Amino acid sequence: MEIRHLQYFVAVVKEKSFTRAAAGLSLTQPTISKMVKDLEEEIGFPLLLRSGKEIMPTDAGHTLIPYAKAILQSMQAIDSAFADLRGGQQGVLRIGLPPMIGANFFPDVIQAFHDQYPGIDLQIFEYGGKRIEEEVEQGNLHVGVVAAPVHSKNIEDVLFIKDELQVLLPVAHPLANRQAISLQELKEERWILFQEDFSLHEVILAACQEVGFMPNVVCRSAQWDFIVSLVATKLGIALLPRTICKSLMNQNVCAADLMDPIIPWHLRLLWRQGDALSFATKRFMAMTQAMLFNNKESDGGEFVRQDQQSHQDHDRREES
């Protein structure tokens, strides 16, 4: 039995599809199918039910899953430990970034990190905030960034950017000349939201429900720039962070402050509780905070530097 057999099996279970698992691993579907078949033959039990639209684990598959994940996580820990011994010159760093956050905040950070540590393979996974939290908790990502409070007790996080949502409107909208708009005033509007796996989707719906209505959602997207374009066509209104609204050059949209309530948009770095952070993870987190804090004037949000004492306390816990 090889590690990659377990890796491919876990990927198929996670994606419920040989095709999607193969795409995520940059392999062909026949290759991953053969590897799983070889694993089944070695174990002596079928591990997957291949009938129906989705691939599901058999009883034997369910038995194997926790052991396979534990082995893979141990291998990742070994890789991280030896990467530290090499002084961070080699290794893998898996980062989860929502598309809007990645595109607007992290290109310079990623470029600077690569310049300083060219031997570290940076793997960027663009997911919504909910999935990023799940992937960090399961150990599939070393570090993630989300724009909502963290719900899992197995995750540690640090706030590094504070911002709030604004209302994005077509320039011809009756409220377009307003400096501030209450959420209640948007009750009858058509809304464009992020997709369900994005944390902003849940945050916005909860805020609307709190003031007594559910928005008339006409479209959902995973891309903030597409949402802006849809607002420009007068399809509906949207709520986006002030930082994003300030960067818009589109003359067919405008932004107003949202009030009653103000909806915060705070960015957090997350990592799994209890994990010994690798050299690469610690350096990436430090570089993220330092670079975004230094860009405070140009980005428009309030940037918060992590308490240095907490860094030292965390390092001491690792050493002990």
Side-chain angles (χ1 to χ4, degrees):
M1 184 186 303
E2 298 181 17
I3 294 297
R4 57 179 178 165
H5 289 116
L6 297 177
Q7 180 185 7
Y8 299 165
F9 165 68
V10 169
V12 173
V13 171
K14 176 182 173 183
E15 298 293 344
K16 300 180 181 180
S17 163
F18 282 100
T19 302
R20 290 194 294 270
L25 294 167
S26 300
L27 296 169
T28 64
Q29 191 270 339
T31 298
I32 201 169
S33 295
K34 182 181 184 305
M35 289 291 184
V36 174
K37 186 66 176 176
D38 290 346
L39 179 61
E40 290 176 317
E41 291 177 356
E42 183 172 353
I43 289 179
F45 291 96
L47 298 172
L48 299 171
L49 295 171
R50 293 166 170 82
S51 59
K53 293 183 178 180
E54 293 185 337
I55 303 296
M56 301 297 292
T58 63
D59 289 344
H62 280 296
T63 300
L64 179 60
I65 287 169
Y67 295 104
K69 288 183 175 179
I71 291 170
L72 294 174
Q73 288 170 5
S74 295
M75 292 304 299
Q76 292 169 7
I78 292 171
D79 288 342
S80 295
F82 278 96
D84 285 357
L85 289 176
R86 291 188 291 265
Q89 298 308 306
Q90 295 180 22
V92 176
L93 178 60
R94 294 184 297 278
I95 307 164
L97 294 173
M100 178 172 65
I101 295 172
N104 287 275
F105 292 94
F106 280 88
D108 289 343
V109 176
I110 292 169
Q111 177 65 53
F113 187 90
H114 175 72
D115 288 347
Q116 191 164 347
Y117 307 106
I120 295 177
D121 179 13
L122 283 175
Q123 298 179 2
I124 310 298
F125 297 85
E126 293 186 289
Y127 300 141
K130 292 181 182 178
R131 182 169 177 183
I132 287 175
E133 184 174 337
E134 292 171 359
E135 297 288 333
V136 170
E137 184 175 19
Q138 293 172 10
N140 299 323
L141 295 174
H142 294 115
V143 63
V145 178
V146 298
V150 177
H151 302 292
S152 171
K153 295 180 179 179
N154 300 318
I155 297 271
E156 293 188 67
D157 68 285
V158 59
L159 175 67
F160 70 102
I161 291 179
K162 295 174 69 176
D163 203 349
E164 56 192 42
L165 299 185
Q166 287 191 306
V167 185
L168 193 69
L169 307 156
V171 290
H173 194 282
L175 299 175
N177 62 345
R178 295 272 296 277
Q179 197 166 29
I181 300 170
S182 70
L183 189 58
Q184 184 67 39
E185 291 178 278
L186 303 173
K187 179 178 181 180
E188 304 301 326
E189 298 293 333
R190 297 191 302 265
W191 286 66
I192 303 166
L193 292 184
F194 282 94
Q195 292 177 349
E196 287 88 343
D197 62 333
F198 284 72
S199 54
L200 267 184
H201 182 275
E202 182 178 315
V203 167
I204 291 171
L205 290 184
C208 292
Q209 191 170 16
E210 185 69 22
V211 299
F213 74 94
M214 289 301 290
N216 173 24
V217 181
V218 295
C219 187
R220 293 178 174 88
S221 173
Q223 302 295 329
W224 72 266
D225 50 350
F226 186 48
I227 290 176
V228 173
S229 297
L230 291 175
V231 172
T233 67
K234 305 178 184 178
L235 177 64
I237 61 99
L239 301 185
L240 290 177
R242 181 188 304 275
T243 306
I244 306 301
C245 292
K246 283 190 67 172
S247 69
L248 298 179
M249 302 299 293
N250 192 319
Q251 298 302 309
N252 294 318
V253 297
C254 61
D257 290 341
L258 179 68
M259 54 184 290
D260 299 328
I262 293 172
I263 301 179
W265 189 75
H266 296 171
L267 296 190
R268 291 173 167 83
L269 284 164
L270 349 166
W271 63 96
R272 191 166 63 169
Q273 188 177 56
D275 280 359
L277 299 183
S278 69
F279 175 92
T281 302
K282 288 189 285 189
R283 295 290 79 75
F284 180 81
M285 291 171 62
M287 190 172 289
T288 294
Q289 292 179 276
M291 291 186 66
L292 293 180
F293 183 86
N294 290 339
N295 285 338
K296 176 179 177 180
E297 296 302 324
S298 61
D299 286 328
E302 181 183 354
F303 292 75
V304 182
R305 188 185 298 276
Q306 182 178 7
D307 183 84
Q308 293 300 319
Q309 185 63 43
S310 67
H311 261 312
Q312 296 167 7
D313 291 344
H314 192 278
D315 288 344
R316 281 198 292 268
R317 288 198 300 271
E318 285 183 342
E319 292 169 0
S320 61

